[in-house]
Amino acid sequence: MIRQIMKGLPIAAVALGICSGAALAGKSDDTLVWATDRESAVADPYYNRTRELVIIGNTVWDNLLLRNTKTGKYEPNLAKSFKWVDNVTLDFELRDDVKFHDGSPFGPEDVIYTVDFTTNKEHGVVTLKNVDWMKKVEKTGPHSIRIHLEKPFPAALAYLGQAVPIIKRGHYDSAPMTKEGKPDYAAVKPNGTGPYMITEVVPGEKIVMKKYDGYHKNGPKGTPQIANLVYRTIKEGNTRIAELLTGGIDWIWDVPKEQAEKLKATGQVTVENAKTLRISYIAFDVDGSSGNKAFMDQRVRQAFAHAINRQSIVTNLVGAAAQVINTPCHPDQTGCVQDVTGYDYDPAKAKALLKEAGYEKGLEFDIYAYREREFTEAVISDLAKVGVKAKLNFMQYKALREIAQKGSTAVHQMTWGSYSIPDASGCAGVFFVGGKDDPANDPKVNELITKAGNVTDLAEREKLYKEAFQIISTKVYWLPMFSYAKNYAFNQNLDMTITSDEIPRFYTAKWK
């Protein structure tokens, strides 16, 4: 049965699953082991923006607020209460019973340090947009603070509830120096206030966590039930499935649709499909910085949009909870209008556009991707039907992010989960406001997106976003592909609720 599920996985791989991790996982050891294919060399939420570190960040660190997944409301977490003073000022009363994992007390100075440090561009946090909307923080009492915003920012509570984990004052002062003589902030020993604490980091292999016995009581995250958590990197999908079936790990996701269906049929593990706030997109080298000038031509980019059968990918590979999208954000995000000009699957039109652009005899290029190889292979297959030959370069996220930000890729297919921020600014506000993540740096688009992110009136926000998204769609700076649906598979002894924000809350899990 295992071999049928994994399409011919060698017996040796199954044996590897039995001996490599079985003793570390499961109810008997009170250890929940979860695995993905991505490496996590850095265990710091400000210096690693992989989804795995978003999850670990939510497990090991706390934010001032926390989103209630049932009501959608933001509730106090490290804060006891909060209120808007005006549209650029927030007041917080803080808890006085919280301690960091090293035993030091949490207080206003930690919030001030967090904001001062992360908003300083010289410190190079990987997603500055998560924090740069804050102007400053001031202490207003023994356990109270006031946050001043740079300008009105309607998504402020969403970011404070997810994307601004609080670090201890002076945390990065002990950063070792790199060979280039610069502080390596990411190398500082993790120290949060969350329900679990990190005890070991083996770069590219695993991150080990244990329940923090000093975690404060009566918080929205509750009291963790499972003693130990282990995140492992297992690059081969078949090996992850083998280890799940043989007890080496307890929880996986991104299981391909066909394999998920076969796993469910075995009755040996729990299998669930759920939508997420993640989207898939294809970005083009609009300015020719990669050396390939073809994608400077808008007609070539439009040809690609017509050549790729996005609905077929959704239906046959992603899952029922996914949908084709036309704009650079998730339809469930506030302000994410979808009624802009889209591109129907039309190979004949794609060929005509390529001919018009001078590529009647075809076009060859490299396409880069880092996850769900089968999705990009489907893209390559569709492009081949219109005479375009794409060579796949498949790599780890961090490496691809670096070359994409340098403009070295002609075309890349990547994904974005918006740090699970349910607001369009969490996606469009990262990729289309100028800077190294922006494929076009179109001044008009940048102006519209920036303004939309700072307007409190929803109707006005949507109007601004729609105008910007229409430009992006017409010029095809991006080809938004689809929203993600994930297939989860986990130990039947594990009692855990899957949420739609792509943040598994391991701190709420327990053994049946």
Side-chain angles (χ1 to χ4, degrees):
M1 177 62 73
I2 292 177
R3 294 181 71 183
Q4 291 176 351
I5 293 171
M6 296 178 286
K7 293 184 176 179
L9 176 69
I11 292 295
V14 178
L16 173 65
I18 295 173
C19 67
S20 66
L24 297 176
K27 184 176 181 179
S28 62
D29 294 299
D30 205 7
T31 299
L32 193 168
V33 179
W34 58 289
T36 76
D37 64 342
R38 283 172 287 285
E39 297 178 354
S40 290
V42 173
D44 186 304
Y46 285 112
Y47 290 96
N48 186 336
R49 71 182 189 185
T50 64
R51 175 54 44 168
E52 288 70 18
L53 250 294
V54 172
I55 296 165
I56 291 172
N58 197 49
T59 305
V60 176
W61 285 266
D62 283 321
N63 291 257
L64 290 174
L65 306 176
L66 186 70
R67 182 173 178 266
N68 185 313
T69 57
K70 294 181 180 179
T71 66
K73 303 292 185 182
Y74 290 92
E75 301 174 347
N77 188 2
L78 287 176
K80 290 173 65 176
S81 63
F82 65 95
K83 66 177 181 179
W84 285 99
V85 178
D86 53 44
N87 63 3
V88 291
T89 312
L90 271 165
D91 276 355
F92 290 84
E93 191 71 26
L94 305 178
R95 295 184 66 130
D96 59 6
D97 60 346
V98 176
K99 291 186 177 181
F100 284 90
H101 296 155
D102 65 359
S104 58
F106 158 76
E109 294 81 7
D110 303 304
V111 183
I112 294 170
Y113 176 83
T114 298
V115 174
D116 285 350
F117 184 91
T118 59
T119 55
N120 186 332
K121 293 181 180 181
E122 294 182 3
H123 294 150
V125 299
V126 292
T127 308
L128 185 63
K129 295 298 178 184
N130 285 352
V131 294
D132 68 357
W133 50 272
M134 291 180 285
K135 185 176 183 180
K136 68 174 182 177
V137 181
E138 62 176 314
K139 183 177 179 179
T140 55
H143 300 288
S144 60
I145 59 165
R146 172 167 288 183
I147 297 180
H148 297 272
L149 282 59
E150 290 283 357
K151 58 185 72 173
F153 184 52
L157 298 185
Y159 280 80
L160 290 173
Q162 176 54 45
V164 189
I166 303 303
I167 52 179
K168 179 184 172 182
R169 56 191 177 279
H171 174 73
Y172 293 111
D173 294 353
S174 60
M177 304 300 285
T178 65
K179 294 179 180 179
E180 293 76 25
K182 297 180 179 179
D184 186 359
Y185 298 121
V188 178
K189 182 180 178 180
N191 181 28
T193 62
Y196 285 85
M197 58 190 296
I198 293 175
T199 59
E200 182 183 12
V201 178
V202 181
E205 183 179 332
K206 65 180 178 179
I207 296 175
V208 181
M209 294 153 276
K210 72 174 183 179
K211 180 171 64 175
Y212 177 39
D213 291 331
Y215 192 60
H216 50 277
K217 307 296 183 183
N218 303 316
K221 290 184 178 179
T223 301
Q225 300 297 304
I226 296 176
N228 306 294
L229 297 178
V230 178
Y231 167 67
R232 290 177 56 197
T233 298
I234 303 176
K235 294 184 178 181
E236 173 55 49
N238 285 338
T239 306
R240 290 195 298 276
I241 292 175
E243 291 219 32
L244 177 67
L245 290 171
T246 56
I249 56 180
D250 300 293
W251 188 98
I252 60 175
W253 66 6
D254 289 330
V255 181
K257 183 171 177 284
E258 182 180 353
Q259 290 181 328
E261 291 169 351
K262 290 181 178 179
L263 273 173
K264 190 170 185 177
T266 69
Q268 297 180 49
V269 295
T270 300
V271 177
E272 292 188 23
N273 178 265
K275 69 177 182 178
T276 77
L277 277 180
R278 180 170 299 278
I279 66 168
S280 173
Y281 66 91
I282 291 177
F284 300 96
D285 176 18
V286 178
D287 62 8
S289 57
S290 70
N292 189 323
K293 306 301 182 182
F295 300 98
M296 297 177 70
D297 193 317
Q298 180 176 311
R299 293 167 298 184
V300 173
R301 305 194 298 269
Q302 290 175 330
F304 272 49
H306 283 299
I308 299 170
N309 192 339
R310 293 177 291 163
Q311 186 58 57
S312 175
I313 296 173
V314 166
T315 301
N316 297 305
L317 297 177
V318 189
Q323 66 183 94
V324 172
I325 58 174
N326 293 315
T327 58
C329 48
H330 192 287
D332 287 351
Q333 291 178 312
T334 301
C336 187
V337 295
Q338 290 292 302
D339 58 335
V340 300
T341 302
Y343 293 86
D344 294 332
Y345 176 55
D346 190 339
K349 184 123 181 228
K351 289 181 179 180
L353 284 164
L354 287 169
K355 180 179 180 180
E356 186 180 329
Y359 294 98
E360 183 179 7
K361 295 182 179 180
L363 171 64
E364 294 187 14
F365 69 100
D366 286 0
I367 186 170
Y368 295 77
Y370 79 103
R371 64 184 295 160
E372 285 80 48
R373 178 188 288 266
E374 64 271 23
F375 295 176
T376 308
E377 288 175 342
V379 168
I380 291 171
S381 177
D382 283 344
L383 292 174
K385 295 172 185 175
V386 299
V388 174
K389 185 177 181 181
K391 176 186 175 184
L392 177 58
N393 288 270
F394 200 76
M395 56 180 59
Q396 284 288 318
Y397 170 76
K398 184 175 183 292
L400 177 50
R401 185 193 77 206
E402 289 176 353
I403 62 173
Q405 289 180 336
K406 291 177 181 177
S408 302
T409 61
V411 180
H412 60 261
Q413 181 173 8
M414 296 183 74
T415 76
W416 185 246
S418 297
Y419 284 87
S420 295
I421 300 296
D423 189 275
S425 63
C427 189
V430 172
F431 291 95
F432 290 98
V433 290
K436 58 187 178 181
D437 285 309
D438 191 331
N441 283 299
D442 182 314
K444 182 61 176 178
V445 170
N446 298 162
E447 177 188 355
L448 290 166
I449 296 290
T450 300
K451 188 174 181 180
N454 297 118
V455 170
T456 56
D457 180 80
L458 181 56
E460 179 64 17
R461 291 188 78 202
E462 291 180 340
K463 180 180 178 182
L464 292 164
Y465 276 132
K466 183 174 180 177
E467 185 179 352
F469 294 168
Q470 185 62 60
I471 297 171
I472 294 168
S473 181
T474 300
K475 295 184 178 294
V476 200
Y477 295 144
W478 256 31
L479 175 60
M481 293 286 286
F482 48 80
S483 64
Y484 257 72
K486 282 183 178 291
N487 288 309
Y488 302 77
F490 50 94
N491 188 325
Q492 286 186 320
N493 286 320
L494 187 62
D495 184 354
M496 184 173 171
T497 301
I498 300 300
T499 58
S500 63
D501 60 0
E502 206 180 2
I503 303 179
R505 287 158 172 77
F506 292 118
Y507 52 79
T508 68
K510 58 185 178 182
W511 301 115
K512 293 179 181 178

